[in-house]
Amino acid sequence: MKIVITGGAGFIGGNLAGALAAQPQITQIRVIDNLSTGHKANLAGLDVDFFEGDIQDAALVDQVIRGADAVVHLAALPSVPRSLRDPLASHHANATGTLQVLDSARRAGGLHVIAASSPSVYGANPHLPKHESLAPAPMSPYAVTKLATEAYLSAYHHSFDLPVLPFRFFNVYGPGQRADHAYAAVIPKWISATLAGQPVTVFGDGTQTRDFTYVGTVCRILIDALLHRIVEPRPVNLAFGTRTSLLDLIPEIQAATGRPARREHRVPRAGDVSHSQADSARLRGLFPEVTPVPIREGVDATVDWFHSAVVKRASN
Ligand code: NAD
């Protein structure tokens, strides 16, 4: 099988490329990435055909997709705060970019397209757990771009019979997720701060909850979906219904790093939701054999990666 990963030089994409490379059924991995938030280092040592460029470039996407069997579409400008600073940039990369990838997949004869959406689409809807049939209520431009992503997948399925699968990834974390940029996610940011002896910044009182999902679990599901060609035009939550508060994360990080974590509270951030927990029935129905990596194990593996990244930097 020949697989295209858009955004393959990113955090999830790099992990997926590594996991796919270990699968005997996968004969070729192609990555298209404009390196806006990703890094070639995430693909170091992997046998991957890398195309540097933008998913809005129709000719390039056509070239990358030609002859492939499936596309895992991860390219996007992630982060709610980033979309508040520059809503149009998020729209172009995430919504227009998705349309371009879908149209290319259609023109290439109907490739299987698996795409990344986000629970931010639930936004202001307070109901918990988040079931996919809840009315979307986006609170940020980023959430709108992900709703558009899902809607385009559904439209291309119904209009052109394109085999699609939109996943709502819930707070993915793990090795390769960097802390050294303004929009870093909470787990890498807090691990990095704790290892450096700095306080962890909590926006609000820290009682907000998230359904953290280890990147290895995400890759396992993406690979199963590719190998078994799972098609579902309705969005599928990719998380297992766990509910970890930010304050609960602190002891996990202390245990994994062996260092004390001091907290520093700041005012809540605009666009952030208070609670996020998936109803995982649809996911478990489609992937009954997948069991998620528990948070303790996932945070341990992430801290190990931070240590190895520091050693690598020191030896360069
Ligand atoms: P990431 O920023 O590490 O990866 C995104 C990749 O897409 C980067 O390598 C970036 O350079 C590339 N990219 C961005 N715009 C592009 C464009 N116009 N053309 C080509 N490449 C482009 O982020 P990630 O955490 O790996 O996220 C992957 C996907 O999953 C994204 O669509 C994101 O919105 C979605 N998602 C992630 C999470 C999470 O917790 N990490 C949660 C929900 C959804």
Side-chain angles (χ1 to χ4, degrees):
M1 267 182 109
K2 295 176 181 167
I3 309 295
V4 173
I5 311 174
T6 74
F11 155 54
I12 298 173
N15 277 281
L16 178 63
L20 280 172
Q23 294 289 321
Q25 300 96 319
I26 305 301
T27 52
Q28 194 184 30
I29 302 165
R30 299 178 196 161
V31 165
I32 173 167
D33 198 302
N34 68 357
L35 302 179
S36 53
T37 62
H39 303 266
K40 262 185 151 173
N42 288 337
L43 299 168
L46 295 175
D47 183 12
V48 162
D49 293 326
F50 184 75
F51 297 80
E52 184 171 343
D54 200 290
I55 52 165
Q56 293 171 82
D57 178 342
L60 179 63
V61 178
D62 283 350
Q63 184 197 339
V64 176
I65 276 182
R66 199 172 302 129
D69 298 291
V71 182
V72 182
H73 172 45
L74 303 173
L77 286 177
S79 149
V80 165
R82 186 197 305 271
S83 78
L84 299 176
R85 300 239 166 87
D86 192 346
L88 283 164
S90 292
H91 179 87
H92 293 318
N94 304 4
T96 311
T98 296
L99 180 57
Q100 183 53 66
V101 169
L102 286 169
D103 208 55
S104 207
R106 172 184 72 83
R107 290 196 303 273
L111 270 64
H112 188 203
V113 179
I114 301 174
S117 179
S118 142
S120 61
V121 300
Y122 296 114
N125 190 323
H127 193 90
L128 281 179
K130 304 294 187 194
H131 186 273
E132 293 91 341
S133 62
L134 289 175
M139 291 166 67
S140 65
Y142 172 74
V144 175
T145 68
K146 289 300 178 180
L147 198 53
T149 295
E150 296 177 358
Y152 273 131
L153 259 71
S154 171
Y156 267 64
H157 178 76
H158 293 290
S159 307
F160 307 114
D161 215 15
L162 198 72
V164 298
L165 178 58
F167 279 119
R168 291 178 177 167
F169 293 170
F170 279 62
N171 290 81
V172 186
Y173 72 97
Q177 193 174 30
R178 296 168 69 126
D180 57 353
H181 60 97
Y183 304 107
V186 61
I187 291 185
K189 228 165 39 184
W190 285 8
I191 289 174
S192 170
T194 305
L195 289 175
Q198 288 160 0
V200 302
T201 304
V202 184
F203 294 102
D205 64 7
T207 57
Q208 57 272 49
T209 56
R210 296 290 180 263
D211 200 342
F212 292 104
T213 313
Y214 184 62
V215 70
T217 308
V218 172
C219 291
R220 170 77 209 280
I221 286 176
L222 292 172
I223 290 172
D224 273 18
L226 287 167
L227 296 181
H228 302 294
R229 204 177 165 86
I230 306 287
V231 174
E232 169 55 85
R234 299 172 303 169
V236 179
N237 288 335
L238 205 171
F240 285 82
T242 57
R243 205 171 164 196
T244 306
S245 77
L246 298 187
L247 295 182
D248 291 339
L249 259 186
I250 291 176
E252 298 296 342
I253 289 174
Q254 293 187 139
T257 56
R259 310 254 177 108
R262 282 177 296 123
R263 335 197 277 262
E264 175 185 272
H265 287 265
R266 300 239 181 103
V267 291
R269 291 184 305 187
D272 268 356
V273 299
S274 302
H275 300 287
S276 178
Q277 179 192 24
D279 180 314
S280 59
R282 189 174 287 172
L283 181 81
R284 289 176 195 270
L286 290 169
F287 303 93
E289 276 153 28
V290 179
T291 47
V293 171
I295 189 126
R296 169 71 47 98
E297 218 176 286
V299 171
D300 276 351
T302 310
V303 169
D304 286 348
W305 176 78
F306 267 89
H307 284 308
S308 69
V310 169
V311 171
K312 245 187 234 151
R313 265 203 304 275
S315 61
N316 280 340

